Amino acid sequence: MGLYHRCVLPRVIHLTCGMKPMMRQRSKVVPHAEGCVLEVGIGSGLNLPFYDVNRVTQVLGLDPSAEMRRLAARAAKEVAVDVELLEFPGEEIPLEDQSVDSIVMTYTLCTIRDTEVALRQMARVLKPGGRLLFCEHGVAPDASVRRWQNRLNPLWGLLGGGCNLNRAIPDLVTQGGFELGELNTMYVPGWKPACFNYWGFAVHE
């Protein structure tokens, strides 16, 4: 892993994912988490201020990047929620079956290599009645935007640490063993190929 991916990219991701439109999207999803929460792709900890301390007992933050976890550890010191950081990718969740009450995933599916394996791991650790709360960017409904997403995706992935512009988020969630309970969509302000958002919740079938 080169210097760019190890040191520069995490800070670029922190800045871009912390822009106001994306933070507003996080605020629509994260406060609904409850109990013991697994956050898949905690990144730099941008979701941490949105957890309701009266509803959440612990946040288990999963991320394979050491630099991201370092930034998240810094953010964890500023909130009242108990946070534990785990050095694993989404495909390798090191938790017992049916051990978490909620799962939070924001702007994460775009970079996971094997989304089906990762989502089935999430389904495995989620308790019956628990919810997967998600907010993701993905394939746009407009043909002209989709064409640009498809054209730019290879280069975007190289520069963005494996981020994909054109993933069909609802299809990925259902292919991973979940049933959509609520799904909302819209373009958030910004560059259209990266700004079509899907958010809501899903339950394990």
Side-chain angles (χ1 to χ4, degrees), residues 40-41 90-91 103-120 122 132-138 161-176 178 180 198 202:
V40 179
E91 297 94 333
I103 296 176
V104 169
M105 181 175 61
T106 60
Y107 304 111
T108 297
L109 272 185
C110 60
T111 57
I112 292 178
R113 290 184 181 180
D114 195 329
T115 56
E116 183 170 350
V117 168
L119 283 158
R120 291 197 180 277
M122 295 179 217
L132 166 65
L133 303 159
F134 65 89
C135 179
E136 301 284 343
H137 72 88
C163 177
N164 289 273
L165 293 169
N166 56 358
R167 286 186 167 173
I169 301 303
D171 292 345
L172 296 181
V173 171
T174 56
Q175 288 164 9
F178 284 89
L180 291 168
Y198 299 81

Side-chain angles (χ1 to χ4, degrees), residues 54-77:
N54 296 312
R55 301 181 67 182
V56 172
T57 57
Q58 185 182 32
V59 175
L60 304 172
L62 196 75
D63 206 290
S65 167
E67 178 62 17
M68 283 298 198
R69 292 195 310 277
R70 189 181 72 79
L71 294 173
R74 183 186 301 172
K77 294 178 181 178

Side-chain angles (χ1 to χ4, degrees), residues 186-205:
M186 67 176 288
Y187 284 103
V188 299
W191 182 56
K192 273 197 167 183
C195 286
F196 191 74
N197 273 215
Y198 299 81
W199 75 97
F201 74 87
V203 294
H204 185 213
E205 295 176 351

Side-chain angles (χ1 to χ4, degrees), residues 82-102:
D82 176 29
V83 180
E84 180 181 348
L85 301 174
L86 305 172
E87 182 186 358
F88 286 88
E91 297 94 333
E92 302 174 22
I93 299 176
L95 301 177
E96 298 292 328
D97 294 357
Q98 299 182 3
S99 58
V100 300
D101 300 291
S102 306

Side-chain angles (χ1 to χ4, degrees), residues 111-167:
T111 57
I112 292 178
R113 290 184 181 180
D114 195 329
T115 56
E116 183 170 350
V117 168
L119 283 158
R120 291 197 180 277
Q121 282 285 298
M122 295 179 217
R124 177 184 65 79
V125 303
L126 188 62
K127 291 179 182 178
R131 297 191 297 176
L132 166 65
L133 303 159
F134 65 89
C135 179
E136 301 284 343
H137 72 88
V139 64
D142 302 291
S144 59
V145 179
R146 287 199 305 273
R147 283 194 292 271
W148 278 109
Q149 288 178 320
N150 293 332
R151 289 169 185 159
L152 296 169
N153 199 62
L155 178 60
W156 184 263
L158 288 174
L159 296 175
C163 177
N164 289 273
L165 293 169
N166 56 358
R167 286 186 167 173

